[in-house]
Amino acid sequence: MPTCRPLCEVCEPIGQRQMMVLPMLRLSVSFICLVLSVTVSLADTGADHLRALRKAAGENDPEAQYSLAMEILSYCRLTKEQQNEAIGWLRAAADRSDGRQPTAQAQLKLGKFYHAGIYTGKDVDEALRWYRRAADNLVVEAMLQLAEAYMVWSGTQRPDPAESIRWLQRAANLGSAEAANKLGMIYV
């Protein structure tokens, strides 16, 4: 019956069988080292990327603010503090008071978050406000959300089919097939 040997004895050439195991063991150890070095390298690169985003976001770069918010929101288990930080960066990117162009995608995300109550409290009126701002920046998806809102939503806003059709027409004029289809269904 074979007995177990300490790891240091595996390296000693005892027989043909052990000689075959040694290169496989070395290859396995080399592969593990390679995987670990790539993982550590990617982690370092990710940390550098976040540091650069935080620096640019702190310097009022709206694209960096949006990217940082989305990066934070991609974490698996967000703390309330991380959620608040991400929403704060989204607001900073979306609500420019310094004359720089806001990030329309940040406006759309805020509209979606308020509409669904994700990371924020559910607030239909606030969702509509952000959707309008994104739509004013020619975001077709925001126009479609507004069209739906004016057709059926509640909140303090009442249904207004004429306003809904105006938003669908704007979206269709920007090339939205979905808006064109909805207009076709309305006019049939």
Side-chain angles (χ1 to χ4, degrees):
M1 183 163 152
T3 60
C4 294
R5 299 178 185 200
L7 184 59
C8 61
E9 289 185 18
V10 173
C11 299
E12 296 176 12
I14 296 173
Q16 188 65 28
R17 198 175 211 171
Q18 284 82 4
M19 292 296 281
M20 291 174 59
V21 171
L22 185 59
M24 290 176 17
L25 181 61
R26 283 186 182 145
L27 182 62
S28 296
V29 169
S30 296
F31 179 72
I32 290 170
C33 289
L34 175 67
V35 168
L36 287 174
S37 68
V38 168
T39 303
V40 168
S41 173
L42 288 176
D44 289 344
T45 303
D48 292 343
H49 175 68
L50 272 178
R51 273 192 290 278
L53 275 178
R54 283 187 189 283
K55 182 177 186 292
E59 294 170 356
N60 283 331
D61 178 342
E63 293 299 325
Q65 292 167 334
Y66 176 75
S67 295
L68 179 57
M70 299 316 296
E71 195 73 34
I72 292 168
L73 292 174
S74 71
Y75 297 166
C76 289
R77 296 175 189 221
L78 289 173
T79 64
K80 188 67 173 163
E81 182 179 293
Q82 290 169 323
Q83 290 175 14
N84 291 339
E85 179 187 8
I87 295 300
W89 286 121
L90 273 179
R91 283 182 204 275
D95 197 15
R96 307 301 301 174
S97 59
D98 60 3
R100 294 173 72 182
Q101 178 67 24
T103 304
Q105 289 302 313
Q107 294 168 334
L108 177 64
K109 282 287 185 194
L110 283 169
K112 287 180 173 184
F113 291 159
Y114 278 105
H115 181 192
I118 299 172
Y119 308 121
T120 62
K122 186 173 175 94
D123 186 338
V124 174
D125 294 324
E126 190 69 8
L128 288 173
R129 184 174 84 81
W130 286 112
Y131 283 143
R132 271 189 215 98
R133 293 190 63 190
D136 288 342
N137 284 307
L138 305 179
V139 177
V140 170
E141 187 176 348
M143 293 175 190
L144 294 171
Q145 289 291 342
L146 285 170
E148 182 181 328
Y150 281 105
M151 209 44 102
V152 294
W153 270 9
S154 59
T156 59
Q157 166 262 314
R158 293 180 184 201
D160 184 349
E163 185 68 14
S164 177
I165 289 170
R166 280 192 286 279
W167 283 114
L168 286 173
Q169 288 170 334
R170 283 185 71 187
N173 289 340
L174 291 173
S176 170
E178 183 178 348
N181 286 338
K182 286 182 179 188
L183 282 169
M185 291 171 61
I186 289 171
Y187 290 125
V188 168

